[in-house]
Amino acid sequence: MKFEDLLLETGGFGRFQILILFLLCLPRINVPMHFLLHNFLAATPSHHCTIPRHEAFENLTTEELLLISIPREPDGTFRSCEMFSQPQFYLLLNSSLQPENDSIIEDCRHGWVYDHSQFTSTIATQWDLVCEQRGLNQATATFFFIGVTVGAVIFGYLSDRWVPESARWLIANGKVKQAHRHLLRCARMNGRKDFTVSPEALRRMTTEKKSGESYSYISLFRTPVLRKISLCSGAVWFGVAFSYYGMSMNLTGFGLNMYLSQFVFGIIEIPAKLIMYVLVNRVGRRQSQAWTLILTGLCIGANIIIPKSFTPMRSVVAIMGKGFSESAFTTVFLYTSELYPTILRQNGMGYTSFVARLGGALAPLVFLLDSVWRSLPEVTYCGVAVCCGSVAFLLPETLNVHLPEGIEDVEKTQVRGPLRISAPEGMPLQPHPR
């Protein structure tokens, strides 16, 4: 008897699974709010150097004062991090003139003046994390993801002491009595009071393992097929998180208002999830994973080429990219959980989630590359997404394939080919925080 057959005996996907799914999804409502809070806490409003008071400035308007004190960019906007060492009064006569040389331009010496029309206060305005210090502003998001990683390890370990393990994992590890108790409770809640599978029948389903053998993260790389799966899935997770947070933390870079961008970027995730529910069961996990991530990168790359004056087009492409990015994130949780055997599934998800945290931590720092070339951050996000998406083609397909119980199942499947079946829906997996 396979575990999938056992699930049918307990009523399949019934009230028990629905309740578990609801309880797991409920706390996740707050997760995106915390993960993307950096967009608003660390927002950098428009700013320019503080202009010291001078008697000659008393009769000048604000615009005239800026004109003689702050150099301008080629597009006519005032620079954020530089000022004239001496007032350039001749610009009052002809504002189109350019400074004779750059020696009269210097960095801000007296602080900055911020536009408070949108944000009353942020960490950028409170601590002057702009210009030379803007790297510290981006690093705050990196520190957050480092904290998430540490917290996931600590509280993930503690949560294992409170929450019951899945029946599949218990059976695979020989804990038959606990598995039978959970399955019996599941069957009763699903209305299957005639559940008659005995502990002895479950014991025959246990995975054979050597006495005293234990599994760790190192086990993910010991055998050839598992090593390939671990390396490729790690690359995919890195690309998914790297591109997802690269787009999510660049709300002002696609031509939309910041609040409108956050709203639209959030709304697009709903149809993205629903569409992927259909696609992964029609075209397969591998194709869905690869193409959603590749298309994410192509959308980011397209906005490098589209002129900034084409705001509606840039916005549409950005929203499509965010949708593909969410689709890739939705698929990767399901796909990865089906790639690893039951006895290593928790280790595999932990390892890939750690790699994702690494991608999320590096994503905010890439914005600093615009000092080298303005489009370099977008080129980086695009390149990583396309390359990591292409790696997904190296992974095996898991659609309509029995979930592997032990390491030998993974190794044999790749030698003999997957067993195509119509597997019933199992219990939902616990979602990991992004």
Side-chain angles (χ1 to χ4, degrees):
M1 178 185 291
K2 292 289 185 179
F3 188 82
E4 285 76 8
D5 302 321
L6 188 60
L7 285 178
L8 290 178
E9 294 290 329
T10 63
F13 190 80
R15 284 178 292 181
F16 179 83
Q17 286 83 358
I18 294 174
L19 176 62
I20 295 296
L21 181 63
F22 174 77
L23 293 176
L24 291 175
C25 290
L26 191 62
R28 283 188 58 81
I29 296 176
N30 289 328
V31 171
M33 302 179 186
H34 290 87
F35 272 58
L36 300 179
L37 198 59
H38 176 269
N39 287 334
F40 302 95
L41 289 179
T44 304
S46 300
H47 54 280
H48 60 76
C49 299
T50 298
I51 303 171
R53 293 184 178 182
H54 194 280
E55 294 180 358
F57 298 162
E58 292 181 359
N59 296 324
L60 297 178
T61 64
T62 302
E63 187 67 23
E64 291 174 334
L65 183 59
L66 290 173
L67 188 63
I68 65 174
S69 304
I70 307 294
R72 291 185 295 177
E73 301 287 356
D75 61 2
T77 59
F78 292 103
R79 296 184 187 179
S80 302
C81 302
E82 294 176 327
M83 62 183 297
F84 293 124
S85 57
Q86 296 294 331
Q88 307 297 301
F89 290 103
Y90 68 90
L91 293 176
L92 295 173
L93 301 177
N94 187 351
S95 60
S96 63
L97 295 175
Q98 296 295 325
E100 296 179 358
N101 57 71
D102 292 337
S103 62
I104 61 174
I105 298 176
E106 61 183 10
D107 296 333
C108 300
R109 293 182 298 167
H110 310 285
W112 291 266
V113 175
Y114 299 95
D115 178 8
H116 294 289
S117 60
Q118 191 172 31
F119 296 99
T120 304
S121 177
T122 68
I123 63 173
T125 62
Q126 185 174 352
W127 298 330
D128 287 333
L129 300 183
V130 294
C131 300
E132 294 87 355
Q133 300 297 320
R134 74 188 186 102
L136 294 177
N137 192 19
Q138 293 300 121
T140 56
T142 300
F143 297 151
F144 170 82
F145 280 105
I146 293 175
V148 170
T149 303
V150 175
V153 173
I154 296 175
F155 290 99
Y157 174 80
L158 293 177
S159 67
D160 285 342
R161 297 293 172 268
W162 305 332
V163 181
E165 298 286 358
S166 69
R168 184 190 291 270
W169 184 90
L170 290 171
I171 293 174
N173 285 272
K175 301 181 180 181
V176 175
K177 291 184 179 180
Q178 290 178 262
H180 186 264
R181 186 165 57 250
H182 293 330
L183 289 170
L184 187 61
R185 182 173 59 177
C186 173
R188 288 175 178 175
M189 188 173 292
N190 285 343
R192 295 295 297 270
K193 297 182 180 180
D194 57 342
F195 180 74
T196 58
V197 178
S198 64
E200 289 71 22
L202 298 183
R203 189 170 288 108
R204 290 194 293 269
M205 297 171 58
T206 58
T207 301
E208 295 182 3
K209 53 187 295 187
K210 297 178 182 179
S211 177
E213 184 178 4
S214 60
Y215 299 98
S216 64
Y217 289 106
I218 299 177
S219 302
L220 300 174
F221 301 92
R222 281 179 177 165
T223 56
V225 177
L226 265 181
R227 188 183 307 119
K228 177 182 176 181
I229 289 176
S230 297
L231 292 175
C232 292
S233 60
V236 171
W237 273 79
F238 180 90
V240 168
F242 187 76
S243 58
Y244 179 89
Y245 289 109
M247 295 200 69
S248 299
M249 293 183 175
N250 188 22
L251 296 181
T252 59
F254 300 109
L256 291 175
N257 170 273
M258 186 174 185
Y259 293 101
L260 180 59
S261 295
Q262 184 68 77
F263 176 76
V264 175
F265 277 14
I267 289 296
I268 195 64
E269 295 194 3
I270 297 176
K273 287 181 179 293
L274 296 177
I275 292 173
M276 291 314 298
Y277 179 80
V278 177
L279 284 181
V280 294
N281 291 300
R282 294 288 181 87
V283 302
R285 277 66 159 154
R286 179 170 54 191
Q287 295 289 333
S288 299
Q289 183 67 77
W291 284 110
T292 51
L293 191 49
I294 291 173
L295 289 172
T296 298
L298 294 180
C299 286
I300 297 175
N303 263 341
I304 302 174
I305 303 172
I306 300 174
K308 293 189 179 296
S309 58
F310 288 67
T311 302
M313 184 182 295
R314 287 175 56 83
S315 300
V316 170
V317 172
I319 294 170
M320 290 175 58
K322 183 58 165 61
F324 287 128
S325 179
E326 170 58 30
S327 298
F329 227 137
T330 301
T331 306
V332 77
F333 281 104
L334 171 66
Y335 193 19
T336 306
S337 66
E338 294 178 343
L339 287 170
Y340 285 106
T342 300
I343 56 177
L344 283 173
R345 189 163 294 124
Q346 192 73 6
N347 298 55
M349 296 300 292
Y351 152 71
T352 52
S353 295
F354 173 80
V355 177
R357 297 287 81 76
L358 180 61
L362 292 177
L365 300 180
V366 175
F367 291 122
L368 301 177
L369 296 178
D370 64 355
S371 60
V372 179
W373 176 35
R374 178 167 294 185
S375 298
L376 187 54
E378 287 77 14
V379 171
T380 304
Y381 292 125
C382 173
V384 170
V386 172
C387 291
C388 292
S390 300
V391 171
F393 288 117
L394 301 177
L395 291 169
E397 179 57 67
T398 60
L399 178 62
N400 294 332
V401 175
H402 276 305
L403 290 181
E405 303 292 347
I407 295 177
E408 64 281 356
D409 295 335
V410 176
E411 302 296 325
K412 291 178 181 178
T413 298
Q414 296 306 300
V415 175
R416 299 178 182 177
L419 174 63
R420 297 293 172 181
I421 61 168
S422 296
E425 291 288 341
M427 292 176 61
L429 291 163
Q430 180 173 349
H432 289 247
R434 291 179 182 172

